[in-house]
Amino acid sequence: MYDPTVARLTYRGLLGRRRALILGVLPVLLIVLSLAVRSFSGADDQVASDLLGGFALATMVPIIGVIAGTGAIGPEIDDGSVVYLLAKPLKRPTIIFTKLIVAIAVTMAFSAVPTFIAGMILNGNGQQIAVAYTVAALVASIAYAAMFLLLGTVTRHAVVFGLVYALVWEALFGSLVSGARTLSVQQWALAVGHKVTGGELVTSDVSLTTATVLLTVVTVLATWYAGQRLRSLTLAGEE
């Protein structure tokens, strides 16, 4: 299910000079903000939780997920180079699964690692806040990568739709409409993070059981359907 050649090509496409610079902007900004906040307010658990939850998990992780998930396959479909990949004797699910693993790894590296560093800067992992948000970022990275990889196979405007989901649905509606939070990857990830801390600084509107089920279902279904879309793309090209 994993092809090293496809993985190497995907890594090369995602971590090219221009895209790597884009991926690195938000993590650097998070760390700079954390240093500034720590220097001005000292170690404060509530401030640490607010910054990691409001910026790292709510903004940085989904945006990086959009860039990595859609970038893992979208550009190849747009410029037609995916035809050369599909001509290889590889099963379509293998291509999708390999690209998903790469997208997850890149999303985790550019979101979970900076989140942990920022948490350690802000309050030295007091009340397990840094670890909790890091775990939440890791979990969210998996679901975001799968969702946005699927978007990359469905539409040429995957980045736009991904940003709409991340910034409008999760950030805006998720904060204003309580019912929308049930369908929020951010809230699912927070439920896992809350389990790590066991405290009140990291909370979620979704139970851990519900979050685990939804995270699993969304990731599996998105991956499966992306494989189906790639298969239909092949058939369309052959016809």
Side-chain angles (χ1 to χ4, degrees), residues 111-132:
S111 61
V113 174
T115 297
F116 179 75
I117 294 173
M120 295 302 293
I121 292 172
L122 288 164
N123 75 333
N125 196 36
Q127 297 195 53
Q128 295 292 304
I129 289 175
V131 172

Side-chain angles (χ1 to χ4, degrees), residues 3-21:
D3 186 83
T5 301
V6 174
R8 184 173 63 255
L9 293 173
T10 307
Y11 275 118
R12 185 181 301 171
L14 282 178
L15 300 178
R17 181 178 300 177
R18 181 180 177 184
R19 195 176 296 272
L21 287 174

Side-chain angles (χ1 to χ4, degrees), residues 30-31 34 38 43-53 56-57 60-61 108 111-139 189-190 192-199 201-203:
L30 173 64
I31 292 174
S34 300
R38 178 61 186 266
D44 187 301
D45 294 344
Q46 185 62 59
V47 171
S49 181
D50 290 343
L51 181 58
L52 294 179
L57 192 62
M60 183 183 72
V61 180
M108 286 181 172
S111 61
V113 174
T115 297
F116 179 75
I117 294 173
M120 295 302 293
I121 292 172
L122 288 164
N123 75 333
N125 196 36
Q127 297 195 53
Q128 295 292 304
I129 289 175
V131 172
Y133 278 105
T134 299
V135 171
L138 290 170
V139 170
L190 282 172
V192 179
H194 173 70
K195 180 65 176 179
V196 175
T197 62
L201 288 175
V202 182
T203 60

Side-chain angles (χ1 to χ4, degrees), residues 187-211:
Q187 291 297 322
W188 305 342
L190 282 172
V192 179
H194 173 70
K195 180 65 176 179
V196 175
T197 62
E200 298 301 321
L201 288 175
V202 182
T203 60
S204 173
D205 292 334
V206 181
S207 69
L208 179 62
T209 301
T210 301

Side-chain angles (χ1 to χ4, degrees), residues 134-153:
T134 299
V135 171
L138 290 170
V139 170
S141 296
I142 299 173
Y144 282 133
M147 290 169 52
F148 298 135
L149 178 66
L150 170 60
L151 272 181
T153 67

